[in-house]
Amino acid sequence: MDSINPATGEVIETYDDHTADDVDSILDESAAVTSDWAETPITDRQQLLERAADVLRDNEDEYAELITHEMGKPISESRAEVEKCAWVCEYYAERAGEFLADRVIGSEPNARTFVSYEPLGAVLAVMPWNFPFWQVFRFAAPHLTAGNVGLLKHASNVPGCALAIEDVFREAGYPEGVFSTLLVDSEKMEDVIRDDRLDALTLTGSEGAGRTVAEQAGNELKKHVLELGGSDPFVVCEDADLDAAAETGVAARTINSGQSCIAAKRFIVVDAVYEDFLDQFVQEMEALEVGDPTDSDTEVGPQAREDLVEDLHEQVEASVDAGADLACGGGPMDREGWYYPPTVLAEPPMDSPAATEEVFGPVAAVFRAEDEADAIEMANDTHYGLGASIWTADLERGEGLAREIDAGCVFVNELVKSDPRVPFGGVKASGYGRELGKEGIHEFVNRKTVWVQSPGDEDDAVPTE
């Protein structure tokens, strides 16, 4: 696997893939430690997770530079990503015991009935390159602490990050085999998914990858969670604070240089404020600093791979050809590296790529809606359903509109974000299952019902099937 710097196109380092024998040994090691790790007191597992947070913070600069060099994220965002990983570790170090405590249920006077949360075993995480540390830690922090062991198949363009994350857990004191990295191509994942030593899996990635993994996991009857793509609407009502909406909208579209599943991608603005919002939004997009991602002043860095720039430009060209107005940007930048400028497409047709596809890069599509009702209809006119953002001065209206949006999460007067404290995930083609929060840690546990009847009470029992 080649690690290539997107800002220069140069190979940073080449890593040897794991062979079939290597994979077999890693699965054996995971299987061997599964029972002991599940029986480790949760307080011990929480303490180890707290140490992982310390390791992340102690090495923040090193990890941030690695992220930036491997996938091109601006260095300020890379540092923020490492800090967020430490936060999710601290969150579950504090709350996992509470979330996994037996839940007592009333049944009969002479019986104790409760739900016990017990680990499933070995869980595979197939993770993407765009948030190479955060995506992994939001999986690992809850599910290792729940008593599962973790296996990571990371994106092939961030092998250095994958191995660094494995080292974080090793340095924190986790037993060998509790968290392991598989440096293999995606084509070899089917054999791993079929392996009896694997009990469950989760994937964050494209809709196509999700469908493939869901079919394979379903055929093996293995529990799985999917967090897939999105085409998030950003709805601006006529009473919105346009300054705040435009400023936050630009951040929501261009975070991670536009390469985020939950980035705002379709800006749907009611007619009464459309022109004013568009003017402010374009000005904000054009003012962004595009440049070397290692420079702390850079706000938009390169795209992670050359093919991603090509795909992005094809979508822009097709949308313009279909009738969209190119308000700014619109073509690969003439410089070293894989750069695409902040771009705004005004009023693209509803059958253009900007309206129907996930556009993964710093390209915003701004649509005109007749009124609020039309805006909500347009927001829901997508087969995706990951997140949405609504902007209005009327908080009661905002909450009401949030309930009308078909998405896994809706934010009012705020950009869509993942937060350790609240569940995260999508509906429709954006996947199923939840990460983070209390709901997230329960995805990969056996929610076992236990009924303990007092001796001698058999005659009082109610007959059941």
Side-chain angles (χ1 to χ4, degrees):
M1 291 185 183
D2 288 334
S3 175
I4 301 176
N5 187 337
T8 64
E10 298 176 350
V11 175
I12 303 169
E13 191 169 347
T14 298
Y15 298 82
D16 291 333
D17 290 6
H18 282 141
T19 66
D21 287 342
D22 292 333
V23 172
D24 188 62
S25 296
I26 292 170
L27 287 169
D28 263 348
E29 189 173 44
S30 295
V33 77
T34 296
S35 294
D36 286 345
W37 181 244
E39 293 170 4
T40 299
I42 190 168
T43 51
D44 292 352
R45 299 197 297 261
Q46 288 173 287
Q47 288 173 3
L48 286 170
L49 191 60
E50 186 75 29
R51 290 179 199 163
D54 293 338
V55 172
L56 285 163
R57 288 206 174 94
D58 289 345
N59 299 281
E60 180 180 300
D61 288 343
E62 174 188 341
Y63 298 145
E65 289 172 5
L66 176 60
I67 292 170
T68 292
H69 286 139
E70 279 207 314
M71 59 73 54
K73 188 191 305 286
I75 190 66
S76 59
E77 293 186 21
S78 294
R79 291 194 180 97
E81 180 172 339
V82 176
E83 172 57 32
K84 193 171 185 179
C85 292
W87 177 27
V88 76
C89 289
E90 290 175 338
Y91 177 76
Y92 282 106
E94 178 183 350
R95 304 297 296 277
E98 169 194 340
F99 294 157
L100 298 170
D102 292 345
R103 181 168 65 90
V104 176
I105 301 172
S107 55
E108 296 181 4
N110 299 308
R112 170 172 162 74
T113 314
F114 60 93
V115 176
S116 174
Y117 301 99
E118 301 173 4
L120 294 183
V123 184
L124 170 68
V126 182
M127 293 287 112
W129 48 264
N130 56 337
F131 291 89
F133 267 59
W134 169 242
Q135 299 280 8
V136 177
F137 274 92
R138 78 184 195 190
F139 152 75
H143 301 306
L144 297 188
T145 313
N148 297 294
V149 301
L151 295 158
L152 170 63
K153 189 282 177 219
H154 218 325
S156 59
N157 60 325
V158 288
C161 289
L163 294 173
I165 292 168
E166 186 179 58
D167 286 342
V168 170
F169 290 108
R170 185 177 293 113
E171 188 174 339
Y174 281 74
E176 290 294 325
V178 170
F179 184 89
S180 304
T181 286
L182 299 172
L183 291 183
V184 294
D185 291 333
S186 298
E187 291 76 14
K188 298 178 182 178
M189 278 297 96
E190 185 172 359
D191 290 339
V192 177
I193 292 172
R194 288 178 175 173
D195 198 290
D196 290 340
R197 290 167 291 186
L198 183 73
D199 299 289
L201 63 150
T202 181
L203 174 139
T204 298
S206 68
E207 180 184 345
R211 291 183 185 278
T212 299
V213 166
E215 182 178 0
Q216 294 168 355
N219 190 57
E220 300 299 322
L221 297 179
K222 292 183 179 179
K223 175 66 186 291
H224 59 282
V225 168
L226 302 177
E227 194 268 278
L228 308 178
S231 186
D232 287 8
F234 188 102
V235 177
V236 182
C237 299
E238 63 181 37
D239 65 341
D241 180 335
L242 296 187
D243 291 337
E247 182 179 353
T248 304
V250 168
R253 175 59 277 197
T254 60
I255 188 172
N256 200 32
S257 304
Q259 302 166 117
S260 171
C261 295
I262 54 172
K265 297 185 175 79
R266 295 178 298 131
F267 292 79
I268 302 170
V269 187
V270 298
D271 182 67
V273 295
Y274 177 85
E275 298 295 345
D276 288 341
F277 174 83
L278 180 63
D279 287 345
Q280 290 182 245
F281 186 71
V282 171
Q283 289 178 25
E284 295 272 1
M285 288 284 278
E286 290 180 322
L288 290 171
E289 184 70 30
V290 181
D292 182 349
T294 64
D295 187 333
S296 59
D297 292 330
T298 293
E299 296 170 291
V300 176
Q303 301 299 279
R305 299 195 311 263
E306 186 174 15
D307 63 299
L308 297 173
V309 175
E310 295 169 354
D311 293 344
L312 182 63
H313 189 50
E314 286 180 6
Q315 290 175 309
V316 170
E317 285 190 311
S319 297
V320 171
D321 289 344
D325 178 29
L326 184 62
C328 68
M333 301 180 72
D334 185 15
R335 58 177 297 166
E336 183 182 46
W338 304 322
Y339 287 86
Y340 204 88
T343 297
V344 177
L345 300 173
E347 298 193 72
M350 297 308 293
D351 59 352
S352 67
T356 62
E357 300 174 6
E358 179 176 26
V359 180
F360 217 63
V363 176
V366 186
F367 300 84
R368 187 193 300 265
E370 293 181 7
D371 52 26
E372 183 180 290
D374 186 38
I376 297 302
E377 183 176 349
M378 293 172 67
N380 288 331
D381 186 19
T382 174
H383 69 295
Y384 291 112
L386 191 53
S389 183
I390 297 172
W391 288 77
T392 174
D394 185 338
L395 300 187
E396 185 175 348
R397 167 195 281 180
E399 183 174 331
L401 294 177
R403 295 180 184 275
E404 296 182 33
I405 297 285
D406 299 330
C409 53
V410 182
F411 288 71
V412 179
N413 298 329
E414 178 60 286
L415 54 78
V416 178
K417 55 189 175 183
S418 56
D419 183 304
R421 299 165 295 187
V422 294
F424 176 82
V427 296
K428 300 193 287 189
S430 291
Y432 43 76
R434 291 294 179 265
E435 299 175 288
L436 302 174
K438 182 176 182 179
E439 290 81 358
I441 200 172
H442 286 170
E443 286 288 0
F444 293 118
V445 294
N446 175 17
R447 287 164 278 193
K448 180 189 291 183
T449 297
V450 179
W451 184 302
V452 182
Q453 188 78 33
S454 297
D457 294 324
E458 293 84 354
D459 293 341
D460 297 331
V462 178
T464 61
E465 293 183 350

